[in-house]
Amino acid sequence: MRSIAHIRESDKQEQTIEEHLLGVQMLAERYGAKLNLRHVTGLAGLLHDLGKYNVRFIEYILAATDSSITDKPKRGSVDHSTAGGKLLYDFFHSKDNNSYKRRLAEIVGNAIISHHSYLHDFLNSSGSDYLRRVRDKALDEEEYELMKQTFFKKVMNEQEFHHYVNKATTELEQFLNKVEPTPKKISSLPATKYMFLCKFVFSALIDADRTNTRLFEQNRSEDPLIDTGQLFQDYYDKLMTEIHSLQKDGEAHSTIKLLRRNMSEQCERFACKPSGIYTLSIPTGGGKTLASLRYALRHALEYGKKRIIYIVPYTTIIEQNAQTVRKILNDEVNILEHHSNVIEGAFELDDEDQDGFITTEQKLKLAKDNWDAPIIFTTMVQFLNAFYANGSGNIRRLHNLCEAVIIFDEVQKVPTPCISLFNQALNFLKEYGQSTLVLCTATQPALDFVEQKLELSPDGEMIEKIDDVIQEFKRVEILDHASDQTFDNERLDEFVQNTLQDEGSVLVILNTKSVVKKLYEQMMEQQMKYDGGSVPIYHLSTSMCAAHRQAILEKVREHLHDKEKVICVSTQLIEAGVDISFDCVIRSLAGLDSIAQAAGRCNRHGKDTLRNVYVIDHEEENLMHLTEIRKGKEITKLILKDLQLNPSHHGGHLLSRQAMEFYFKKFYMKVKPDLNYFVKKVSRNMTDLLYSAKNDVDGFYQHYIRNNGGQHLPLFITNSYRTAAEHFHVIKEVTTSVIVPYGKGKEIITDLNGNGTIDDLTKVLREAQQYTVNLYKHELDELDRNGGLSSCLDGKVLVLKEGAYSEEFGVDIDNDSDMEFLGS
């Protein structure tokens, strides 16, 4: 029997199964070593393609790659992913009494049978999908025996194999016994540890498999390894040169600059503390990008961390922060921006699909997108997807979140339903992943107040005497125009006109895209009222791609730099992390954290005396489906009334730490039923699906016992990983990324319609992230009806036609925009 794992597209060269298995084993061991589980993950690599030792598979792959055969075999007609999981079950679960070997068979076996899709459910409402594959699915006995014999002959003899499994078993036992389970620490309970362990092993296998396949397709032996220790030392030296130069400029001794300098130095000193979960509560405009980078580099050098990852709430922040860091470190190669999955879910393969030959789908799968970079900027959506979302492309990145310094910028923006899941992911990374987590925001949420709390390190705040710092950093006065009146767009337009005369540049932030657009259109119709039409007015919303928004922000910054009057009307996307400073801000009533972030766009560098931030209540905003904004608005209104009655209440001002703590505790109490991500279709919380205990009376396990006459399921792990993943969406209403024809977006769409290599595709897809917009299904349907939607890469990537994107508003659902001047 010939041994073929893959056939290279370019020259039809064959990769043997043993070459592939041993290559994947080597990579998986490297990844697993991060958790001292190298043999556990290596075992998954050794056995994942055992089913390819099968005459029917060889016939299948040869026929599929033979250009003379027109009637190709049906994709997925030969199952090669069951055999490895079945071998582990037969050898170590059904016969072996060693409980840790049985657990090993479950964890590694599930990864193997799932490596073309997502982890199977150990138990769900209809039984065990895992057991249906490894125990109940009938394989041809003669073929199955031949697979095992060939493996022991060509890859690893049976004695060596059992020795290898013994090592994996020891590693697993040590991992599971690392922390004694206690009722107070959910992250150390068995079901929680099993969940993260299964996902880590699966992540290591997926990345090792795809990496080895990509290297073979590119005819390369390995990717060059980066000496991150030396690189981070070089980065640190460059950063300190930049910091020292800033200390010599003409305004270096201003109050704000001295405060920034002092906080930056505190971050450096704090870096000597061991791995943990810490808070960095630098006030808005306090220089947290450079201060957090200084901490991260120093801490990474001190404790041998492999990468630094910035997690931000919005794609708008990525470009700006990455550009700042890239400029200081003078590196265009090793800093990765991951805005969104342009092809997320479009090419995920089903259980029985094969990866033996390269198609467009395979090129998309293999394009390197595994966060294997020294410095990464990505979003909260992508971070949570790595742990919880469906599709092997997401979980592939999980293992690279270990041995890292991870900085969560504007951490208060964690979506409410994801808070428990977020907390547990961070607890796992701290306790087992050897990572350090930094919650970086001026408005720290009370994540240790909720039931499944974040296990913050004691004395974990980096900035000393934080209340004094907040007071010294005060640059704005919050003026309450919301407690006793409401505004519509007409009245707000008049208010902006008056404010412009008195204050100068004005930023207006409202809660919904529709009201922002209507106000902008009204202002443009009345533009002559703004100093005879001489004041430029700009519009910003998430209907624009990141590159488009950045171009508008640059134009606004030019006006601000030249001290010219300018108006910007925006959704809340401008609040978090955008380095821009207006003379005045008008903010529609929302959560207190949003008010504080909006205030950070006013008098940002403290060059003027106190400037004004007006809080208004906009009556035209429809917040019916924006539950978090609506509830946050109610609590903020309550605090404003308290301050009216007693000005010394809540620390004496709206943006005090006491007011913020009161706000978040009140907010989490209001949304308590939503914190565990309830899944309506299965009437379960996401946390129950992922790590509920066997004794949970409402869980699937107790239902199984009742429905099977008291018989117990013969498994240690009984949770529903695939069901949970299928229903998990960080943003509840699912969106799809679409590439838009703005600026370089046109070239990218052209390139994607070509026939490039995997390397070309990797580069183009990364560039495409700045030219994407996320659209809801109803928006896509309407665009399609209006002829504004197209696709490339065999329909896997959606793109907009030129008429479906406008200079003023971004996406034009009606597909009737003039594109001639775009991107200029």
Coordinates of all heavy atoms in Angstrom, one line a residue, residues 205-240:
L205 N -3.3 20.7 18.1 CA -3.4 19.8 17.0 C -3.7 20.5 15.7 O -3.1 20.3 14.7 CB -4.4 18.7 17.3 CG -4.7 17.8 16.1 CD1 -3.5 17.0 15.7 CD2 -5.8 16.8 16.5
I206 N -4.7 21.4 15.8 CA -5.2 22.1 14.5 C -4.0 22.9 14.0 O -3.8 22.9 12.8 CB -6.4 23.0 14.9 CG1 -7.6 22.2 15.2 CG2 -6.7 23.9 13.7 CD1 -8.1 21.3 14.1
D207 N -3.3 23.7 14.8 CA -2.3 24.5 14.3 C -1.1 23.7 13.8 O -0.5 24.0 12.8 CB -1.8 25.5 15.4 CG -1.0 26.7 14.8 OD1 -1.1 26.9 13.6 OD2 -0.3 27.3 15.6
A208 N -0.8 22.6 14.5 CA 0.3 21.8 14.0 C 0.0 21.1 12.7 O 0.9 21.1 11.8 CB 0.6 20.7 15.1
D209 N -1.2 20.6 12.6 CA -1.6 20.0 11.3 C -1.6 21.0 10.2 O -1.1 20.7 9.1 CB -3.0 19.4 11.5 CG -3.5 18.6 10.3 OD1 -2.7 18.1 9.5 OD2 -4.8 18.5 10.2
R210 N -2.2 22.1 10.3 CA -2.2 23.1 9.3 C -0.9 23.7 8.9 O -0.5 23.9 7.8 CB -3.2 24.2 9.6 CG -4.6 23.8 9.7 CD -5.6 24.9 9.8 NE -7.0 24.5 9.9 CZ -8.0 25.3 10.0 NH1 -7.9 26.6 10.0 NH2 -9.2 24.7 10.1
T211 N 0.0 23.9 10.0 CA 1.3 24.4 9.7 C 2.1 23.4 8.9 O 2.8 23.8 8.0 CB 2.0 24.8 11.1 OG1 1.2 25.8 11.7 CG2 3.4 25.3 10.8
N212 N 2.1 22.1 9.3 CA 2.9 21.1 8.6 C 2.4 21.0 7.2 O 3.2 20.9 6.2 CB 2.8 19.8 9.3 CG 3.5 18.7 8.6 OD1 2.9 18.0 7.8 ND2 4.8 18.6 8.8
T213 N 1.1 21.0 7.0 CA 0.5 20.9 5.6 C 0.9 22.1 4.8 O 1.3 22.0 3.6 CB -1.0 20.8 5.7 OG1 -1.3 19.7 6.5 CG2 -1.6 20.6 4.3
R214 N 0.9 23.3 5.4 CA 1.3 24.5 4.6 C 2.8 24.5 4.3 O 3.2 24.8 3.1 CB 1.0 25.8 5.5 CG 1.6 27.1 4.9 CD 1.2 28.3 5.8 NE 1.7 28.2 7.1 CZ 2.9 28.4 7.6 NH1 3.9 28.7 6.7 NH2 3.3 28.3 8.8
L215 N 3.6 24.1 5.2 CA 5.1 24.0 4.9 C 5.3 23.0 3.8 O 6.2 23.3 2.9 CB 5.8 23.6 6.2 CG 5.9 24.6 7.3 CD1 6.5 24.0 8.6 CD2 6.7 25.8 6.9
F216 N 4.6 21.9 3.8 CA 4.8 20.9 2.7 C 4.3 21.6 1.3 O 5.0 21.4 0.3 CB 4.0 19.6 2.9 CG 3.9 18.7 1.7 CD1 5.1 18.0 1.3 CD2 2.8 18.6 1.0 CE1 5.0 17.2 0.2 CE2 2.7 17.8 -0.1 CZ 3.9 17.1 -0.5
E217 N 3.2 22.2 1.4 CA 2.7 22.8 0.1 C 3.7 23.9 -0.4 O 3.8 24.1 -1.6 CB 1.3 23.4 0.4 CG 0.6 24.1 -0.8 CD 0.4 23.1 -1.9 OE1 0.3 21.9 -1.7 OE2 0.2 23.6 -3.1
Q218 N 4.3 24.6 0.5 CA 5.3 25.6 0.1 C 6.7 25.1 -0.1 O 7.6 25.8 -0.4 CB 5.4 26.7 1.2 CG 4.0 27.5 1.4 CD 4.1 28.4 2.6 OE1 4.7 28.0 3.7 NE2 3.4 29.5 2.6
N219 N 6.8 23.8 0.1 CA 8.1 23.1 -0.1 C 9.2 23.7 0.8 O 10.3 24.0 0.4 CB 8.6 23.2 -1.5 CG 9.7 22.1 -1.9 OD1 9.9 21.2 -1.1 ND2 10.3 22.3 -3.0
R220 N 8.8 23.8 2.1 CA 9.7 24.4 3.1 C 9.8 23.4 4.3 O 8.8 22.7 4.6 CB 9.3 25.7 3.6 CG 9.3 26.8 2.5 CD 8.5 28.0 2.9 NE 8.8 28.6 4.2 CZ 8.1 29.5 4.9 NH1 6.9 29.9 4.3 NH2 8.4 29.9 6.0
S221 N 10.9 23.4 5.0 CA 11.0 22.5 6.1 C 10.4 23.0 7.4 O 9.8 22.3 8.2 CB 12.5 22.1 6.4 OG 13.3 23.3 6.6
E222 N 10.6 24.3 7.6 CA 10.0 24.9 8.8 C 10.0 26.4 8.7 O 10.7 27.0 7.8 CB 10.8 24.6 10.1 CG 12.3 25.0 10.0 CD 13.0 24.6 11.3 OE1 12.4 24.0 12.2 OE2 14.2 25.0 11.4
D223 N 9.2 27.1 9.5 CA 9.2 28.6 9.6 C 10.4 29.0 10.4 O 10.7 28.3 11.4 CB 7.9 29.1 10.3 CG 6.7 28.9 9.4 OD1 6.8 29.1 8.2 OD2 5.6 28.6 9.9
P224 N 11.0 30.1 10.1 CA 12.1 30.6 10.9 C 11.7 31.0 12.3 O 10.6 31.6 12.5 CB 12.6 31.8 10.1 CG 11.5 32.2 9.3 CD 10.7 31.0 9.0
L225 N 12.4 30.5 13.3 CA 12.1 30.8 14.7 C 12.6 32.2 15.1 O 13.8 32.5 14.7 CB 12.6 29.8 15.7 CG 12.0 28.4 15.5 CD1 12.7 27.4 16.5 CD2 10.5 28.4 15.9
I226 N 11.8 33.0 15.8 CA 12.2 34.3 16.2 C 12.8 34.3 17.6 O 12.1 33.7 18.5 CB 11.1 35.3 16.1 CG1 10.6 35.4 14.6 CG2 11.4 36.7 16.6 CD1 9.3 36.2 14.5
D227 N 13.9 34.9 17.8 CA 14.5 35.0 19.2 C 13.8 36.2 19.9 O 14.2 37.3 19.8 CB 16.0 35.3 19.1 CG 16.6 35.3 20.5 OD1 15.9 35.4 21.5 OD2 17.9 35.4 20.6
T228 N 12.6 35.9 20.5 CA 11.8 37.0 21.1 C 12.6 37.7 22.2 O 12.4 38.9 22.4 CB 10.5 36.5 21.6 OG1 10.7 35.4 22.5 CG2 9.6 36.1 20.4
G229 N 13.4 37.0 22.9 CA 14.2 37.7 24.0 C 15.0 38.8 23.4 O 15.0 39.9 23.9
Q230 N 15.8 38.5 22.4 CA 16.6 39.5 21.8 C 15.8 40.6 21.1 O 16.1 41.8 21.2 CB 17.6 38.9 20.7 CG 18.5 39.9 20.1 CD 19.4 40.6 21.1 OE1 20.1 39.9 21.9 NE2 19.4 41.9 21.1
L231 N 14.7 40.2 20.5 CA 13.8 41.2 19.8 C 13.2 42.1 20.8 O 13.2 43.3 20.6 CB 12.7 40.4 19.0 CG 11.8 41.3 18.1 CD1 12.6 41.9 17.0 CD2 10.6 40.5 17.6
F232 N 12.7 41.6 21.9 CA 12.1 42.4 22.9 C 13.1 43.3 23.6 O 12.8 44.5 24.0 CB 11.4 41.6 24.0 CG 10.1 40.9 23.5 CD1 9.6 39.8 24.2 CD2 9.4 41.4 22.4 CE1 8.4 39.2 23.8 CE2 8.2 40.8 22.0 CZ 7.7 39.8 22.7
Q233 N 14.3 42.9 23.7 CA 15.4 43.8 24.2 C 15.6 45.0 23.3 O 15.7 46.1 23.7 CB 16.7 43.0 24.5 CG 17.8 43.8 25.1 CD 17.5 44.3 26.5 OE1 17.2 43.5 27.4 NE2 17.4 45.6 26.7
D234 N 15.7 44.7 22.0 CA 15.8 45.7 21.0 C 14.6 46.7 21.1 O 14.8 47.9 21.0 CB 15.9 45.1 19.6 CG 17.2 44.4 19.4 OD1 18.2 44.5 20.2 OD2 17.3 43.5 18.4
Y235 N 13.4 46.1 21.2 CA 12.2 46.9 21.3 C 12.3 47.8 22.5 O 11.9 49.0 22.4 CB 11.0 46.1 21.4 CG 10.5 45.4 20.1 CD1 9.6 44.4 20.1 CD2 11.0 45.8 18.8 CE1 9.1 43.8 18.9 CE2 10.6 45.2 17.7 CZ 9.6 44.2 17.7 OH 9.2 43.5 16.6
Y236 N 12.7 47.3 23.6 CA 12.7 48.0 24.9 C 13.7 49.2 24.7 O 13.4 50.3 25.2 CB 13.2 47.1 26.0 CG 13.3 47.8 27.3 CD1 12.2 48.2 28.1 CD2 14.6 48.2 27.8 CE1 12.3 48.8 29.3 CE2 14.7 48.8 29.0 CZ 13.6 49.2 29.8 OH 13.8 49.8 31.0
D237 N 14.9 48.9 24.1 CA 15.8 50.0 24.0 C 15.3 51.1 23.1 O 15.5 52.3 23.4 CB 17.1 49.5 23.3 CG 17.9 48.5 24.3 OD1 17.6 48.5 25.5 OD2 18.7 47.7 23.8
K238 N 14.6 50.8 22.0 CA 14.0 51.8 21.1 C 12.9 52.6 21.9 O 12.8 53.8 21.7 CB 13.4 51.1 19.9 CG 14.5 50.6 18.9 CD 13.8 49.8 17.8 CE 14.9 49.2 16.8 NZ 14.3 48.4 15.8
L239 N 12.1 51.9 22.6 CA 11.0 52.5 23.4 C 11.6 53.5 24.4 O 11.1 54.7 24.5 CB 10.2 51.5 24.1 CG 9.1 52.1 25.0 CD1 8.1 52.9 24.2 CD2 8.4 50.9 25.8
M240 N 12.6 53.1 25.1 CA 13.2 54.0 26.1 C 13.9 55.2 25.4 O 13.9 56.4 26.0 CB 14.3 53.3 26.9 CG 13.7 52.2 27.8 SD 12.2 52.7 28.8 CE 13.0 53.9 29.8

